[in-house]
Amino acid sequence: MAKQKTIITCAVTGAIHTPTMSDHLPVTHNDIAEQAIAAAEAGASILHLHTRDPKDGRPSVDPDHYTGILSRVKQSTDAVLNITTGGAPTMLIEDRIKAAVHYSPEMCSLNMGSMNFAFHPLVDRYDTWKHDWEKEYIAGSEANIFRNTFADITQAAKALAPHDIKFEHECYDVGHLYNLKFCMDIGLFKAPVFLQFVFGVLGGIGAEVDNLIFMKRTADRLFGDDYRWSVLGAGGAQMPLATTASQMGGNVRVGLEDSLFITRGKLAESNAQQVTKIRRIVEDLGCEVASPDEAREILDLKGGDRVAF
């Protein structure tokens, strides 16, 4: 049997990093679109997309802020476009799902449990800020509870069910796998599911290989053959954990949402630079990278002709 190809997802901008942290972080709609297209050209078959307020670069879930990004990227690449429903930890689920409901993408993310989601230690690294909102936003994360209750998950699942969207089930800890299994047992999600194991977020499971093995073994027990999986390592864990996951038969996620760096102490110049690096590693170690259409087949997606943008 031929070895399954490795899907590379690129998370282009996210909602955690702020404009002060890197001049290379895309914050305008034009920059987000350009970097997304370049990441696809470098080998990403899935583009995980957030948007930002064009006035000051703060995280946004306003569907209008997606319009130019989605249409432009779709015209320029055949990559799968994945719209966040995570938004930012400060946002409520009814707002976070609006863009996915409006645009009916092939994929969207869905967080599988409530958690502390903190990045306040970053505030001490910067003395000046490009925008007034940044320092308070980062420092305030010490008090964040990223709410993803069973009621929230149910609301998102039912609102998006008519759109035949495949979820990227983001699991920040082992309990989130059990949450997903419960939701499948009550009929909210159908197999096969796509899991994104998330490591290294303060408040979630640590970025250690032992934890990756444990998460994978738990998923095997809960879901059998009815799942596909990928790994997201935050910060300095990005490339090491992605490399390990690719050798375990998993898929990988990189991007400036998850890490601003290309090597220790050196800022990445673009999302495409990170995609190029992980693609080289994956291929040098004997795996093949999936094209967008191969990713659609592996994940059983509805196809780019059935989106609303």
Side-chain angles (χ1 to χ4, degrees):
M1 181 180 293
K3 188 173 183 180
Q4 182 171 293
K5 295 187 177 181
T6 303
I7 298 169
I8 298 176
T9 295
C10 182
V12 177
T13 190
I16 304 306
H17 297 130
T18 69
T20 293
M21 295 179 183
S22 173
D23 291 337
H24 306 295
L25 179 71
V27 293
T28 69
H29 298 167
N30 180 66
D31 287 346
I32 293 169
E34 285 190 351
Q35 286 215 33
I37 293 165
E41 292 172 345
S45 54
I46 300 174
L47 300 171
H48 173 88
L49 298 174
H50 289 242
T51 190
R52 292 175 180 264
D53 190 315
K55 297 191 298 294
D56 58 12
R58 74 176 67 217
S60 170
V61 288
D62 186 340
D64 289 342
H65 290 163
Y66 277 99
T67 303
I69 298 170
L70 295 173
S71 58
R72 183 172 169 191
V73 176
K74 188 173 188 289
Q75 289 169 6
S76 301
T77 175
D78 63 346
V80 176
L81 302 190
N82 173 339
I83 295 178
T84 181
T85 69
T90 53
M91 300 174 181
L92 298 176
I93 192 66
E94 51 262 39
D95 297 316
R96 288 156 41 193
I97 64 175
K98 285 180 180 177
V101 170
H102 183 79
Y103 291 108
S104 190
E106 293 182 79
M107 296 185 71
C108 67
S109 63
L110 186 61
N111 299 78
M112 293 312 300
S114 300
M115 59 183 292
N116 294 333
F117 196 116
F119 42 97
H120 60 282
L122 295 175
V123 80
D124 295 327
R125 299 185 185 181
Y126 307 93
D127 295 323
T128 59
W129 303 87
K130 291 182 179 179
H131 303 286
D132 291 341
W133 65 269
E134 294 180 73
K135 184 176 182 179
E136 182 180 353
Y137 176 73
I138 297 165
S141 71
E142 184 177 15
N144 279 354
I145 296 176
F146 190 14
R147 174 180 160 147
N148 298 284
T149 64
F150 284 114
D152 294 336
I153 293 167
T154 298
Q155 182 177 349
K158 290 185 175 180
L160 294 169
H163 296 271
D164 194 20
I165 293 171
K166 173 70 70 172
F167 292 100
E168 172 196 9
H169 293 282
E170 297 196 344
C171 299
Y172 293 77
D173 216 331
V174 66
H176 294 181
L177 298 175
Y178 286 90
N179 292 351
L180 175 57
K181 180 62 165 61
F182 168 78
C183 291
M184 294 177 71
D185 288 344
I186 64 173
L188 285 181
F189 308 113
K190 297 178 181 178
V193 289
F194 181 50
L195 309 184
Q196 188 71 255
F197 299 151
V198 183
F199 300 94
V201 171
L202 183 57
I205 198 167
E208 300 165 4
V209 172
D210 281 352
N211 287 336
L212 168 55
I213 294 169
F214 179 56
M215 290 280 279
K216 174 66 167 58
R217 189 168 66 237
T218 303
D220 287 343
R221 185 172 63 253
L222 292 177
F223 308 112
D225 295 328
D226 289 334
Y227 80 102
R228 304 291 180 264
W229 62 286
S230 176
V231 163
L232 177 178
Q238 182 184 71
M239 294 296 169
L241 282 186
T243 301
T244 302
S246 73
Q247 292 299 290
M248 293 172 60
N251 304 289
V252 301
R253 176 171 137 174
V254 296
L256 297 182
E257 171 175 351
D258 305 331
S259 174
L260 293 175
F261 295 87
I262 190 65
T263 59
R264 180 174 293 275
K266 183 179 180 181
L267 290 171
E269 296 178 2
S270 67
N271 282 276
Q273 187 182 26
Q274 291 184 345
V275 174
T276 298
K277 180 174 181 176
I278 194 60
R279 179 175 187 170
R280 182 179 67 250
I281 292 170
V282 165
E283 292 179 338
D284 283 351
L285 292 175
C287 298
E288 293 184 52
V289 171
S291 69
D293 284 342
E294 288 168 335
R296 289 182 172 96
E297 182 177 358
I298 292 167
L299 299 179
D300 191 27
L301 304 184
K302 65 181 180 181
D305 58 333
R306 293 180 55 199
V307 300
F309 54 89

